[in-house]
């Protein structure tokens, strides 16, 4: 088999969290004075941390992006996720199959904060497959599109990045995987909340899937 490990993004790949998170963000930005639509919020913030877009937020709201505002965002986001989050269709089965095939050499490498990633994986029943192998971009020198989180995950698994398959659904994430030296599969079931196939290929994804259930077969046949 060409690949020795698979590194999964979390949001939009394993859990269907982006509509929830961006819904909260859009509502709070409107409350702060930035009149933007849910579609615009998705377009500008998908695959990025809120803090990385601080200058854009401050320019549109006329207010500083404070720690207190971020704490309120996290609290409202987490409450919505706890009430509504579901796994991406086919993700649990795909992870289970890949985990078995690679004898546990999988990891979750996310740009999100660790609390959110661990909470989400636990909520949809995926936590046991990633125990001890969860990596957050918030804990790295630089987050996506920098390769740090993927390099850390590969190193922890003892696998060269060139022998890793990365699964991503945003341009920012694909860029991070490519920069790490990995081969990237783009997941694009819909243009809403995910990068388009064209955008993901343009960022360096070598293959596109629209159904997470296709991943185990793709891994075997590559």
């Amino acid at each position: 088999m060409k690949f020795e490990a698979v590194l999964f993004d979390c949001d939009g790949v394993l859990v269907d969290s982006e509509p929830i998170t961006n819904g909260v963000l859009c509502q709070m930005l409107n409350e702060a004075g930035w009149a933007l639509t849910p579609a615009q919020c998705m377009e500008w913030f998908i695959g990025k941390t809120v803090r990385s877009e601080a200058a854009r937020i401050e320019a549109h709201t006329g207010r500083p992006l404070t720690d207190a505002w971020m704490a309120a965002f996290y609290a409202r986001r987490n409450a919505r996720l706890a009430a509504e989050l579901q796994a991406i269709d086919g993700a649990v089965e795909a992870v289970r199959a890949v985990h078995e095939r690679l004898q546990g050499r999988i990891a979750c490498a996310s740009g999100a904060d660790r609390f959110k990633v661990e909470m989400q994986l636990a909520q949809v029943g995926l936590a046991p497959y990633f125990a001890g192998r969860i990596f957050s971009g918030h804990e790295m020198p630089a987050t996506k599109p920098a390769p740090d989180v993927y390099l850390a995950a590969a190193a922890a698994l003892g696998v060269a990045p060139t022998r890793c398959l990365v699964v991503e659904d945003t341009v920012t994430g694909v860029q991070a995987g490519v920069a790490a030296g990995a081969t990237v599969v783009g997941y694009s079931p819909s243009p809403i909340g995910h990068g388009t196939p064209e955008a993901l290929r343009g960022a360096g994804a070598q293959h596109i899937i629209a159904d997470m259930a296709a991943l185990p077969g793709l891994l075997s046949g590559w």
Side-chain angles (χ1 to χ4, degrees), residues 75-95:
R76 288 169 64 170
R77 177 203 71 183
N78 292 346
R80 284 277 308 278
L81 289 170
E84 302 172 28
L85 184 68
Q86 296 183 5
I88 290 289
D89 287 345
V92 174
E93 296 79 8
V95 167

Side-chain angles (χ1 to χ4, degrees), residues 28 49 52 57 108 124 140 147 178 181 184 197 208:
M28 290 188 63
T49 66
S52 71
I57 292 171
C108 181
V124 301
M140 303 294 152
V178 170
V184 182
I208 304 295

Side-chain angles (χ1 to χ4, degrees), residues 155-167:
L157 293 174
V159 177
T162 53
R163 299 284 288 171
C164 292
L165 186 67
V166 162
V167 187

Side-chain angles (χ1 to χ4, degrees), residues 8-11 108-113 117 135-138 143-144 149:
F8 293 87
D9 178 40
C10 185
D11 297 289
C108 181
S110 173
D113 56 282
V117 177
F135 301 85
S136 166
H138 285 220
T143 192
K144 300 174 184 180
V149 71

Side-chain angles (χ1 to χ4, degrees), residues 9 11-13 15-23 25 36 38-50 52-53 56 116 144-145 168-175 187 190-196 199-200:
D9 178 40
D11 297 289
V13 168
V15 296
D16 194 15
S17 56
E18 296 290 14
I20 298 171
T21 298
N22 276 271
L25 179 61
L36 80 168
Q40 289 171 326
C41 193
M42 279 280 195
E43 178 183 354
W44 286 328
F45 291 96
I46 199 81
K48 303 174 185 176
T49 66
V50 175
S52 71
E53 295 296 304
R56 186 197 296 268
K116 179 179 183 240
K144 300 174 184 180
E168 273 284 359
D169 76 315
T170 68
V171 167
T172 302
V174 171
Q175 290 171 336
Y187 174 61
S190 163
I192 300 173
H194 308 271
T196 64
L200 298 180

